[in-house]
Amino acid sequence: MRISRSFFCFFAFISTAWLATPAFSGDFPSDFAVDPAVVNMTLEPKVVVNSGKLEWVPFSRDLTPWVSLSYEDKRPAARPRQVKLVEPLQGDPVRGRELAIARDKGYCIVCHQLPGEQWAGTVGALLLNFKKHNYPNELVFQQIFDSRVFNPISVMPPYGTFGILNEQEIRDLVAYLQSLD
Amino acid sequence: MKRALPLLLLLAATAQAATSAPAPYRQFDPMEDYLPHVKGDMSLSGSYKHWKDPANLDWRMAGNPEENWKLNWKFMDPPFNASVHGGHFAADRGEEIFHELNRKAGRTGKFATCLGARKGNLKGLRSQYPMYRKDLRHVAGLEEVIEHCAAKEGRELQNGSYDNSAVSVYVASQSTGMPIKINVTSAGPLKSAYERGRKVFHARAGRINLACSSCHTYQIGLHLRGTVVTTPYGDVAHYPVYRTRYQLQSLHLRFIECNLATRTQPLKPGSQAYTDIEVFLTGLTNGYPVSVPSERD
């Protein structure tokens, strides 16, 4: 079994504040590729052939809320967070599968193999026949919410702590995984 | 008393800056010890043995999706194909611009000298970048210096723009085959930049909390959906690179691409953090020959 149960205890709670990083109160770091005047402030470069200018176009989403690599970015990153799942699970496995595949939600298939998906990643564990592990729901919930509680250097995104998925969405994903025969 | 107040406030403020402001919490991947030489890959991914000798690649591996990553794309470096690709057009364009700037009336040779050429000779220059620049008072990559020196000749060549990278490709092509050689082990600004770069390379960031090393050190050879990550050793030697989707991509634009793909706010080309990562990755390319013009998919 990969998820280690010994680490698991119920000290923490789920708070209602989801977002990970404090916003900037003043100006952005001077080296950010941003345009504060557009809705999605993050910019993407566009190389124009035979031109000495680099063009910048708005990126499809705003990435300024999360810590960057800029030395001027002094916002603390979100620390690992332990949570308690209140049962019953009440997750929707059909919705869970959609979330597992959706690019801007779980997108678990980048790293994991799930039934019926081609081009699966090989970074994470196989999630086929997940039911056979008999993991308790709260364990799976914590793994998705913030896997760093079990493995401090896990590369799996802390979906809950970083505000990528909300509590119900994680419940749906747990329900989906627990349904995989 | 009235006049002393601002001074007191200033003192208080500096005292606070010196004592408080602890570094904000950051998560780091385990800091791998890297050898600042391309052969260091033998203790990371071990793929170096397959691309060590550019003249003797096993081309069959290129066509095999499970083996392809072990060639670290070196089969797209010169002389993979004598036919013309976008990198060659860029080199031609860069040569034109270079000579235009270097032959400005009354300023003949100034542009080349500014870039660091001895007696106008570009041979071997690429192998020495990034370098500490006294005029800029910091370590800078070749593209930043091209922008700086072109401005002196009255021409805007923004870092990351096609024309800037084209000049970079041309300058690099004068060193093709010569090994990258920067000293990141003797105390000095380059060593400090290398150490900072190694640290940023391991710093988790962005919406999904990944560091460069999360993929490029710890997931080499593994599949992320359709792509397979390759070793960070030896990469710098083929930049700027021709890619159909980007026309011409400088190294810092590649960093932006990886940042955006992993949902991390990108920085401007030439930013200190990117330059430090460049110094770090250039250290990992020491000993490998400059391979330009090159192409990637």
Side-chain angles (χ1 to χ4, degrees):
Chain A
M1 189 182 72
R2 288 191 201 79
I3 304 177
S4 128
R5 280 177 210 229
S6 55
F7 266 88
F8 203 73
C9 45
F10 296 105
F11 291 143
F13 54 93
I14 297 181
S15 116
T16 44
W18 292 97
L19 198 58
T21 324
F24 284 103
S25 46
D27 293 335
F28 287 118
S30 62
D31 53 2
F32 264 30
V34 285
D35 180 355
V38 299
V39 180
N40 289 334
M41 295 183 271
T42 300
L43 297 178
E44 172 177 23
K46 222 180 112 199
V47 175
V48 184
V49 176
N50 296 348
S51 163
K53 282 204 158 83
L54 183 61
E55 255 184 49
W56 293 91
V57 295
F59 187 58
S60 53
R61 45 191 58 72
D62 178 18
L63 301 175
T64 58
W66 293 276
V67 279
S68 66
L69 299 179
S70 169
Y71 294 139
E72 295 165 41
D73 192 342
K74 306 288 187 200
R75 297 170 296 172
R79 290 172 193 273
R81 186 140 135 235
Q82 196 152 52
V83 289
K84 175 173 167 32
L85 172 71
V86 181
E87 298 267 17
L89 180 64
Q90 287 181 317
D92 174 356
V94 176
R95 177 85 185 116
R97 175 165 174 93
E98 285 165 13
L99 290 166
I101 291 158
R103 237 177 186 280
D104 249 346
K105 287 295 183 177
Y107 208 28
C108 321
I109 45 177
V110 179
C111 297
H112 292 282
Q113 208 160 353
L114 284 170
E117 285 302 310
Q118 284 184 320
W119 294 111
T122 56
V123 169
L126 289 177
L127 298 178
L128 310 163
N129 323 109
F130 190 76
K131 208 172 164 182
K132 71 167 184 236
H133 295 301
N134 273 317
Y135 292 137
N137 288 337
E138 60 264 20
L139 219 68
V140 184
F141 187 86
Q142 176 70 57
Q143 173 73 27
I144 302 171
F145 193 98
D146 197 332
S147 61
R148 296 175 297 175
V149 166
F150 303 126
N151 172 13
I153 57 166
S154 173
V155 289
M156 181 158 149
Y159 288 97
T161 308
F162 275 49
I164 305 165
L165 299 171
N166 65 32
E167 179 182 341
Q168 185 56 50
E169 289 170 326
I170 300 179
R171 286 174 180 266
D172 295 341
L173 277 163
V174 175
Y176 167 56
L177 293 183
Q178 299 286 39
S179 76
L180 297 176
D181 274 313
Chain B
M1 188 59 217
K2 220 176 179 181
R3 278 174 64 200
L5 191 61
L7 183 69
L8 276 177
L9 286 176
L10 187 73
L11 281 175
T14 40
Q16 204 194 6
T19 52
S20 73
Y25 171 73
R26 287 283 183 282
Q27 188 187 336
F28 290 94
D29 278 348
M31 286 265 225
E32 192 70 31
D33 258 334
Y34 300 83
L35 190 72
H37 189 276
V38 64
K39 68 181 185 220
D41 179 63
M42 282 316 286
S43 51
L44 184 65
S45 85
S47 67
Y48 178 52
K49 60 174 178 283
H50 300 291
W51 47 270
K52 181 179 181 175
D53 183 2
N56 285 310
L57 299 174
D58 182 349
W59 286 75
R60 284 164 306 178
M61 289 170 72
N64 179 344
E66 289 311 312
E67 300 252 281
N68 177 298
W69 69 269
K70 295 180 190 164
L71 287 179
N72 199 16
W73 287 94
K74 298 307 177 195
F75 55 95
M76 302 287 266
D77 287 339
F80 85 97
N81 179 347
S83 80
V84 184
H85 61 65
H88 295 273
F89 293 127
D92 293 346
R93 169 92 181 161
E95 181 171 13
E96 248 170 62
I97 299 173
F98 174 84
H99 288 307
E100 237 173 77
L101 294 178
N102 206 35
R103 285 177 196 148
K104 278 266 158 105
R107 295 183 57 82
T108 310
K110 288 252 188 328
F111 183 59
T113 307
C114 178
L115 294 182
R118 297 245 165 85
K119 295 186 184 149
N121 188 356
L122 295 177
K123 222 170 165 40
L125 189 59
R126 176 65 186 85
S127 309
Q128 301 160 36
Y129 269 99
M131 61 169 73
Y132 179 78
R133 294 278 309 203
K134 277 200 194 119
D135 51 350
L136 297 169
R137 286 201 223 96
H138 59 243
V139 171
L142 179 56
E143 290 83 19
E144 180 181 346
V145 173
I146 288 171
E147 176 172 10
H148 169 73
C149 298
K152 287 190 177 171
E153 306 306 322
R155 176 137 177 185
E156 183 174 38
L157 290 182
Q158 290 181 346
N159 193 346
S161 69
Y162 184 92
D163 283 352
N164 180 307
S165 297
V167 173
S168 179
V169 167
Y170 170 66
V171 171
S173 69
Q174 304 306 299
S175 303
T176 295
M178 299 172 74
I180 295 279
K181 191 170 188 286
I182 65 165
N183 182 346
V184 295
T185 49
S186 311
L190 260 182
K191 183 176 197 262
S192 311
Y194 177 88
E195 289 305 334
R196 283 193 307 269
R198 185 169 77 110
K199 199 165 172 207
V200 211
F201 194 78
H202 291 79
R204 296 290 187 95
R207 184 184 190 241
I208 52 176
N209 200 35
L210 293 176
C212 314
S213 59
S214 308
C215 294
H216 288 288
T217 298
Y218 295 104
Q219 291 174 35
I220 301 169
L222 296 179
H223 288 254
L224 284 163
R225 210 69 174 125
T227 50
V228 180
V229 192
T230 62
T231 175
Y233 281 92
D235 281 350
V236 168
H238 66 259
Y239 274 85
V241 62
Y242 171 73
R243 299 180 63 201
T244 1
R245 262 176 36 164
Y246 300 85
Q247 300 301 336
L248 197 55
Q249 191 178 46
S250 72
L251 189 65
H252 291 208
L253 290 197
R254 175 75 228 200
F255 298 168
I256 292 180
E257 186 188 349
C258 278
N259 267 171
L260 287 172
T262 54
R263 304 291 184 245
T264 303
Q265 171 61 41
L267 309 179
K268 292 176 189 157
S271 62
Q272 203 197 347
Y274 280 179
T275 302
D276 288 345
I277 297 177
E278 175 177 359
V279 172
F280 171 64
L281 291 179
T282 307
L284 302 196
T285 304
N286 266 337
Y288 199 75
V290 174
S291 317
V292 170
S294 61
E295 184 182 20
R296 292 289 182 279
D297 79 340

